[in-house]
Amino acid sequence: MSNAVANKAETEAATNSSLKQSPPQPANSHDAAKLLNGSLARTNGLTHAASSSASSSTSASNNASSGYNGSSAAGSGSVSGSGGANSSLASSSAAAVSSLLSAVTPSTALPLPPSSNGLQLPYERFRAEDTSYVPIAQFYAGRSVFITGGTGFMGKVLVEKLLRSCPDIRNIYLLIRPKRGQEVSARLTELLNAPLFESLRQEKPKELSKVIPISGDITSEELGISEKDQNLLCRNVSVVFHSAATVKFDEKLKLSVTINMLGTKRLVELCHRMLSLDALIHVSTAYCNCDRTDVSEVIYAPPYNPDDIISLINWLPEDILDQLTPRLIGKRPNTYTFTKALAEHMLLKEAGNLPVAIVRPSIVTASLNEPFAGWVDNFNGPTGLVSALAKGMFRTMMCEKNYVADMVPVDIVINLMIAAAWRTATRKSNNLLIYNCCTGQRNPIIWSEFVKHAMCSVRKHPLEGCLWYPTGDLRMNRPMNTLNCIVKHFLPAYILDGVARIMGKKPFVVNVQNKIAKAVECLEYFATRQWRFKDDNVHALLHTLSPKDREIFVFDVRHINWDNYVERYVLGFREFLFKQRPDSLPASRKRMLRLYYLHQLTKLVAVLLTWRFLMSRSKRLNDLWSAFLENALKMARLIPFL
């Protein structure tokens, strides 16, 4: 850590002169509309019809913004006033919001040039005789990189990969927020001591000194970065990876807008001041356009002007904002996908002539190979549900079993991000390229196959302390699913918690089931629908790499063997999330065998009790059963004579 601080001090010494501010970016709606129409740097603008729609929407949104300002002023006067003033605020708010909601534009794609054959740029395949080709590792040599979200799941893998595969990289600046009284230097030390960096600590410990913390906060003005550190970044950084985001599906709209939209806007403002920026990679999500079935690698016009949504969260009381959220997000399931869609459109508008690309991963899961197979550090998405399945606490959910489960390993996404930055910097273009990083087109797996592989793996490599034998079903019948949830999830949970209370122990199973139910509710939307994410740009980018770069920076999803991957996935969360060592597997397998016999015995007892209950309630059924047994005995007596 001392090396990193010293390194930062040396770099700061070379950054004494103040930096000049870049020319101001278009701030008003008229300039924004001009940029969308392609009169500025970007060429993948709206069609003529869509442009007219966007322009009229922008004009309507401007009027709404005027209403906002007036309402805000009225609101500031009415806070200290009487109930009548509050009523005036409410009516003003309603009028302004109605104005905003009436400015909705259809979800129109920003089209591709007619000659591009489905791609936003003509891609040239790698040729061995091409002497101008710059290998990816060589491109990063001597460069400094700035990463937001570097302490998150994807950010950690990105840092590790850059240090390991680009050994001559100069510095990696990480935006880190002081947390729970812990300074950024302490958080960086904790990050670099994680198992993910074990091989680097042993083989290349000096590489870790290249990681330099930048104290800041994505939710603050100017990202909470000091003027001194801003000058440092503007002078030295040439590649930026923006992966900071709130990924909570049930996040409040205000915080989601602040992080996913305002944070992006503030970063772009900083990037405009960077003297030698060659690439800005923005991490979005493939599901930001989940209101469409077919999603191409283009930006779609959002339902609202992003600036108006930002204005809305700034002046509207949070309780009213919460009530409006379902209407604002429309067909999208949550604030995450809603704000990510708006952030893309805002990036197109604010970027100007910056070299920008967007990477849209689908559901990001454990690593495929790097730095080692199965690494994962959170329970988000399918990981939490498969973990609950492995514990024997999760048995049923709403899911269309024949739909594609579009999941992508985290190292595949990171390799694509690194290659996308290389491509953006080495092939200058006016186009803002988008890469849909998905598996559904090239190597699909359906939900029933994923669950089957997961079921086999959690039985083969069971967790310690498993409560019951893992089984489960995917259903599309909601009443039946609800009944199974009550009988198989909550009824046993209340029984176990009751026993725990009797024994003087703290009950926890019901609380766990509530968390599982919440996670299932968030995932249900994506498990009961199907999308076709086109990934032509990703496929084309792959063919521009040399064979060596394809081996080092692997993002060809066709190489994924799903059976092997899911098995390593299960072993990964067993080791890295539950902290269970491989040498505990023999004892866990013995316990799993006992749970299997107990499970079968329970099913047999349940059948006998049900049959006994029916027999006691129906004389006719009793007579039929007696007749069946009598005939069976007669047949048994005849066996010696056959």
Side-chain angles (χ1 to χ4, degrees):
M1 176 52 60
S2 59
N3 290 336
V5 174
N7 198 351
K8 181 179 179 182
E10 291 173 7
T11 313
E12 287 171 350
T15 320
N16 294 326
S17 60
S18 60
L19 299 171
K20 294 182 179 180
Q21 184 75 27
S22 292
Q25 297 305 306
N28 57 46
S29 301
H30 176 68
D31 289 341
K34 279 177 61 183
L35 190 143
L36 285 174
N37 288 328
S39 60
L40 296 180
R42 297 297 171 191
T43 60
N44 56 338
L46 298 165
T47 59
H48 177 71
S51 300
S52 303
S53 175
S55 299
S56 61
S57 171
T58 305
S59 175
S61 299
N62 252 356
N63 296 334
S65 298
S66 301
Y68 295 161
N69 296 333
S71 299
S72 181
S76 62
S78 62
V79 170
S80 57
S82 62
N86 288 332
S87 175
S88 175
L89 169 63
S91 60
S92 299
S93 301
V97 171
S98 296
S99 178
L100 172 67
L101 292 175
S102 66
V104 177
T105 59
S107 181
T108 311
L110 310 190
L112 305 173
S115 61
S116 62
N117 296 323
L119 302 179
Q120 293 187 15
L121 260 184
Y123 279 84
E124 301 163 356
R125 287 177 175 266
F126 171 78
R127 302 190 314 274
E129 64 274 12
D130 185 3
T131 56
S132 65
Y133 182 86
V134 178
I136 294 179
Q138 183 180 329
F139 162 75
Y140 282 96
R143 292 180 180 271
S144 291
V145 173
F146 180 48
I147 301 174
T148 69
T151 59
F153 177 44
M154 291 176 58
K156 293 174 185 176
V157 181
L158 175 59
V159 172
E160 196 278 340
K161 178 64 175 180
L162 285 172
L163 291 176
R164 180 165 47 84
S165 298
C166 304
D168 295 323
I169 195 169
R170 184 180 176 190
N171 287 314
I172 298 177
Y173 298 101
L174 288 189
L175 183 68
I176 301 179
R177 175 171 58 93
K179 193 175 182 181
R180 291 189 290 268
Q182 195 177 27
E183 293 298 322
V184 294
S185 56
R187 289 196 66 194
L188 179 61
T189 301
E190 182 182 343
L191 170 69
L192 298 180
N193 285 330
L196 184 69
F197 296 91
E198 181 64 32
S199 61
L200 279 172
R201 286 198 301 270
Q202 293 180 358
E203 299 169 12
K204 303 176 181 178
K206 291 183 179 180
E207 294 296 311
L208 299 177
S209 64
K210 295 179 179 179
V211 184
I212 300 173
I214 298 293
S215 181
D217 188 343
I218 199 75
T219 64
S220 301
E221 290 291 337
E222 297 184 335
L223 303 177
I225 303 175
S226 68
E227 184 178 352
K228 185 179 180 181
D229 282 345
Q230 286 185 46
N231 291 339
L232 175 71
L233 296 174
C234 292
R235 176 69 81 180
N236 295 287
V237 169
S238 58
V239 178
V240 175
F241 293 100
H242 178 43
S243 63
T246 173
V247 296
K248 288 178 64 176
F249 285 172
D250 56 349
E251 190 69 85
K252 296 278 190 180
L253 181 61
K254 186 179 182 70
L255 184 56
S256 191
V257 168
T258 301
I259 296 176
N260 295 345
M261 294 176 61
L262 271 175
T264 301
K265 187 173 185 178
R266 290 161 180 162
L267 178 68
V268 171
E269 290 170 355
L270 178 63
C271 288
H272 274 294
R273 296 170 52 200
M274 292 181 178
L275 301 181
S276 55
L277 183 69
D278 288 323
L280 165 60
I281 304 300
H282 172 74
V283 181
S284 184
T285 172
Y287 295 101
C288 65
N289 298 298
C290 58
D291 56 336
R292 305 174 60 86
T293 302
D294 293 283
V295 181
S296 298
E297 292 170 305
V298 296
I299 295 177
Y300 294 91
Y304 307 107
N305 185 318
D307 291 332
D308 289 336
I309 295 297
I310 291 173
S311 299
L312 192 71
I313 65 111
N314 283 336
W315 64 265
L316 201 62
E318 193 160 358
D319 56 339
I320 298 178
L321 195 60
D322 291 341
Q323 295 174 22
L324 282 172
T325 297
R327 188 175 177 189
L328 286 171
I329 66 177
K331 294 181 180 180
R332 291 181 173 85
N334 49 55
T335 59
Y336 172 67
T337 56
F338 175 69
T339 54
K340 277 296 191 180
L342 291 172
E344 284 192 4
H345 196 266
M346 186 177 65
L347 183 65
L348 176 66
K349 184 177 72 172
E350 300 286 341
N353 59 355
L354 291 179
V356 183
I358 296 174
V359 174
R360 292 177 181 160
S362 52
I363 303 173
V364 183
T365 51
S367 62
L368 177 66
N369 293 310
E370 299 179 278
F372 28 76
W375 183 82
V376 65
D377 74 342
N378 63 79
F379 287 99
N380 295 338
T383 305
L385 300 185
V386 176
S387 301
L389 173 71
K391 277 285 189 180
M393 301 178 69
F394 178 59
R395 298 176 174 280
T396 181
M397 75 171 287
M398 288 287 293
C399 177
E400 177 50 70
K401 61 183 180 181
N402 293 319
Y403 280 177
V404 172
D406 207 312
M407 292 173 282
V408 59
V410 63
D411 49 334
I412 294 284
V413 183
I414 296 307
N415 287 330
L416 174 61
M417 288 168 57
I418 294 172
W422 163 82
R423 174 72 187 185
T424 303
T426 57
R427 295 290 189 274
K428 301 295 183 182
S429 167
N430 287 333
N431 267 15
L432 190 158
L433 283 174
I434 296 120
Y435 300 92
N436 286 341
C437 186
C438 310
T439 57
Q441 294 296 305
R442 309 283 174 180
N443 189 6
I445 180 173
I446 60 176
W447 284 107
S448 59
E449 291 177 354
F450 174 74
V451 171
K452 182 184 73 173
H453 294 326
M455 201 82 70
C456 292
S457 297
V458 298
R459 291 169 180 172
K460 182 179 179 182
H461 310 290
L463 295 174
E464 298 175 33
C466 186
L467 297 177
W468 199 255
Y469 186 72
T471 61
D473 294 295
L474 304 176
R475 295 181 170 85
M476 283 300 288
N477 185 315
R478 189 169 294 280
M480 184 61 67
N481 185 68
T482 302
L483 178 62
N484 275 272
C485 280
I486 294 171
V487 174
K488 296 181 178 180
H489 291 173
F490 286 98
L491 184 59
Y494 278 104
I495 292 173
L496 289 173
D497 277 0
V499 172
R501 286 191 177 92
I502 292 171
M503 297 175 65
K505 297 182 178 180
K506 185 178 179 180
F508 69 94
V509 186
V510 172
N511 187 38
V512 171
Q513 284 294 352
N514 286 328
K515 290 181 179 179
I516 293 172
K518 191 174 181 180
V520 170
E521 184 181 356
C522 291
L523 192 62
E524 183 181 300
Y525 178 91
F526 304 96
T528 55
R529 290 165 177 80
Q530 184 167 255
W531 293 266
R532 288 182 291 275
F533 300 113
K534 297 182 180 178
D535 60 350
D536 295 327
N537 284 343
V538 176
H539 191 61
L541 175 60
L542 178 67
H543 290 290
T544 66
L545 302 185
S546 67
K548 184 177 180 181
D549 275 345
R550 287 190 213 177
E551 291 178 7
I552 298 173
F553 302 94
V554 179
F555 57 89
D556 188 350
V557 298
R558 293 173 297 181
H559 294 162
I560 301 174
N561 181 310
W562 287 110
D563 193 2
N564 294 340
Y565 171 72
V566 175
E567 182 175 3
R568 290 180 292 185
Y569 189 177
V570 169
L571 285 169
F573 71 65
R574 186 184 192 276
E575 179 178 356
F576 302 113
L577 294 181
F578 290 93
K579 311 299 182 184
Q580 298 177 7
R581 298 184 60 81
D583 54 17
S584 67
L585 276 171
S588 297
R589 286 171 180 147
K590 289 180 181 178
R591 177 182 174 84
M592 181 60 66
L593 186 61
R594 292 195 295 269
L595 288 174
Y596 170 76
Y597 289 126
L598 181 60
H599 177 66
Q600 299 301 332
L601 179 62
T602 303
K603 289 198 295 185
L604 178 61
V605 170
V607 169
L608 292 176
L609 289 176
T610 303
W611 182 251
R612 179 61 183 161
F613 173 78
L614 293 174
M615 291 277 289
S616 65
R617 297 289 178 177
S618 173
K619 185 176 184 304
R620 180 174 177 77
L621 190 61
N622 202 352
D623 292 341
L624 287 173
W625 178 246
S626 299
F628 172 76
L629 289 178
E630 184 178 349
N631 289 328
L633 288 172
K634 287 180 181 178
M635 292 294 294
R637 293 192 188 107
L638 291 175
I639 288 176
F641 301 101
L642 295 178

